Amino acid sequence: MTVSYHALAWLTLVLGSALSACASHHAGGEATLVITKGGTYSGRYQSAASGVACVRVATTELVVLDGCVLTGPGNLIEAGEGADLTVRNCRGQGLPPTVDKQAPGHFLDVYKPQRLVVEHNFFAQTSGMVVNRWRGTSGALLVRYNQARDVDGRWRGNAGGTHCSFLILNTVAHLPGVEIAFNEVLNAPDKSLVEDNINLYNSSGTAASPLRVHDNFVRGAYPYPASAGQFTGTGMTTDGDAKTLAEAGGFIEADHNQFVSTGNAGMNLAAGHDIFYHDNRVITSGLLPGGQRFNATHAGLGIFNFYKQPANVFFNNRAERNVIGYVRWGAGSPYPDRQDLSTDNCATCTATEHLPNPITPATEAGEWARWQQKLQKQGVTVGPLLSGGK
């Protein structure tokens, strides 16, 4: 099944039009291992073709993938409707696509699960994770303590690309208990092509239990090549074209995240209601590792009704106490070569702490040190563990 969703297109100078992409669940395709019975599975699974998954979960019984090593150019893990899936301590390595006009596969591609826990995994050179809708309005959705490297939507031979994210929730609606936390995402320029690292599209928590995105570290959101002047990705975006309150995203809280060296924006709020961004850090120096300017930057944070949702759909959105130092060459807010808040698109952004100039690669490196200190102080380990537990 193929489902379309849209990514925010916020270009370096103006807000542009929405771009579409596809998240595909190939339920009828091939897989190295097809799981039809519940249980705990481990081992090494490899595929050699873009259309072949390493593992497909084809049961509604509880399946735990623990300690698996997955390698291939297609999706590493797929799961069909009603899946009750836990993925932990697994390692995934994406390989170059074997067909034209196709990106590397997802680490995880799930359609309408009833429960999903993804914790303490490591994956590199994949097109990230997709949770495509949800079965019902209950069941755990936890994405925590994972490490991702170089989320990559580039096609074979760099002949174009597909929008992808570290994590996209596509129309996961009215679900309590969602937690996206303590994930570490590092994308290198010219070795990755990610859109919004975290994209919440028409997805929502509840008033009593907001969808939580907290304590994640994301470094890198670049065009390809990284020196290009335009880019539509971000560190995080709330997104979605719904025109009714029942269908729109909402009840989302994003706090204590760090978004570093992200083109276009650090955090955008482009759709939905009752969304609260607070106590995040958004730091971009405007320089690439070789010292050349990072040209595809726009603003650190913005709140904008991109889809022109009605007033009873887009409301009660705010940002408070965020620390921002975001370089946009030639701009001047609040300091020369800065655009911390999007001009005329942050009326409900309050108590922002604007870091003093200069914002440099050393400033960005300081964020990595801060992240390491946070993990140590809170006793959190990210990535696979040698044994179970947090």
Side-chain angles (χ1 to χ4, degrees), residues 50-363:
S50 290
V52 180
C54 290
V55 175
R56 175 175 304 109
V57 177
T59 177
T60 58
E61 298 174 8
L62 173 61
V63 170
V64 178
L65 301 179
D66 192 352
C68 294
V69 178
L70 310 162
T71 308
N75 292 337
L76 302 185
I77 303 168
E78 295 179 354
E81 184 168 353
D84 182 349
L85 176 62
T86 294
V87 182
R88 67 188 182 213
N89 298 318
C90 293
R91 293 183 177 271
Q93 177 64 53
L95 299 178
T98 58
V99 297
D100 292 336
K101 296 185 178 181
Q102 193 161 324
H106 297 118
F107 172 70
L108 176 67
D109 190 329
V110 185
Y111 178 69
K112 282 190 176 181
Q114 60 173 313
R115 180 179 175 276
L116 181 64
V117 177
V118 186
E119 295 182 337
H120 290 295
N121 302 287
F122 175 93
F123 52 94
Q125 283 85 45
T126 74
S127 54
M129 296 183 286
V130 176
V131 182
N132 191 355
R133 295 172 165 75
W134 196 263
R135 193 172 84 169
T137 55
S138 64
L141 173 50
L142 305 175
V143 181
R144 306 184 298 189
Y145 320 120
N146 300 289
Q147 291 177 309
R149 300 293 186 265
D150 295 326
V151 179
D152 199 355
R154 290 176 296 172
W155 296 345
R156 182 163 68 172
N158 296 321
T162 299
H163 291 162
C164 64
S165 301
F166 160 71
L167 174 66
I168 180 168
L169 304 188
N170 179 28
T171 318
V172 177
H174 312 296
L175 185 64
V178 179
E179 187 180 19
I180 302 163
F182 286 102
N183 298 290
E184 179 185 278
V185 185
L186 307 182
N187 298 308
D190 295 323
K191 296 180 181 179
S192 63
L193 182 60
V194 68
E195 187 72 6
D196 304 315
N197 276 276
I198 299 172
N199 183 291
L200 307 179
Y201 189 85
N202 287 339
S203 293
S204 55
T206 66
S209 179
L211 191 163
R212 286 289 309 282
V213 181
H214 70 89
D215 293 292
N216 299 285
F217 183 92
V218 174
R219 186 178 72 201
Y222 308 98
Y224 186 85
S227 58
Q230 293 186 341
F231 183 55
T232 58
T234 65
M236 173 182 171
T237 293
T238 60
D239 208 351
D241 60 355
K243 300 300 184 184
T244 67
L245 191 60
E247 296 174 326
F251 300 120
I252 295 165
E253 182 177 7
D255 60 278
H256 297 91
N257 302 287
Q258 294 169 264
F259 297 104
V260 179
S261 195
T262 57
N264 187 30
M267 301 182 75
N268 277 343
L269 197 164
H273 63 92
D274 295 291
I275 300 168
F276 187 24
Y277 289 175
H278 67 92
D279 298 289
N280 301 286
R281 299 178 65 87
V282 178
I283 313 296
T284 292
S285 72
L287 294 172
L288 298 172
Q292 65 270 45
R293 286 188 172 186
F294 183 11
N295 295 309
T297 59
H298 176 65
L301 191 153
I303 298 176
F304 180 72
N305 186 1
F306 180 75
Y307 296 91
K308 296 179 172 54
Q309 293 175 317
N312 65 341
V313 175
F314 188 88
F315 65 92
N316 196 27
N317 298 320
R318 57 199 171 102
E320 293 181 4
R321 301 185 304 278
N322 297 291
V323 177
I324 305 179
Y326 193 90
V327 170
R328 174 183 170 187
W329 300 108
S333 178
Y335 309 118
D337 294 320
R338 290 275 291 275
Q339 189 71 57
D340 289 0
L341 301 178
S342 181
T343 304
D344 299 323
N345 292 306
C346 230
T348 56
C349 301
T350 61
T352 302
E353 179 181 341
H354 300 279
L355 293 182
N357 271 342
I359 305 299
T360 68
T363 315

Side-chain angles (χ1 to χ4, degrees), residues 34-48:
V34 178
I35 296 174
T36 59
K37 188 174 181 60
T40 299
Y41 296 79
S42 60
R44 294 177 176 267
Y45 304 96
Q46 182 168 349
S47 74

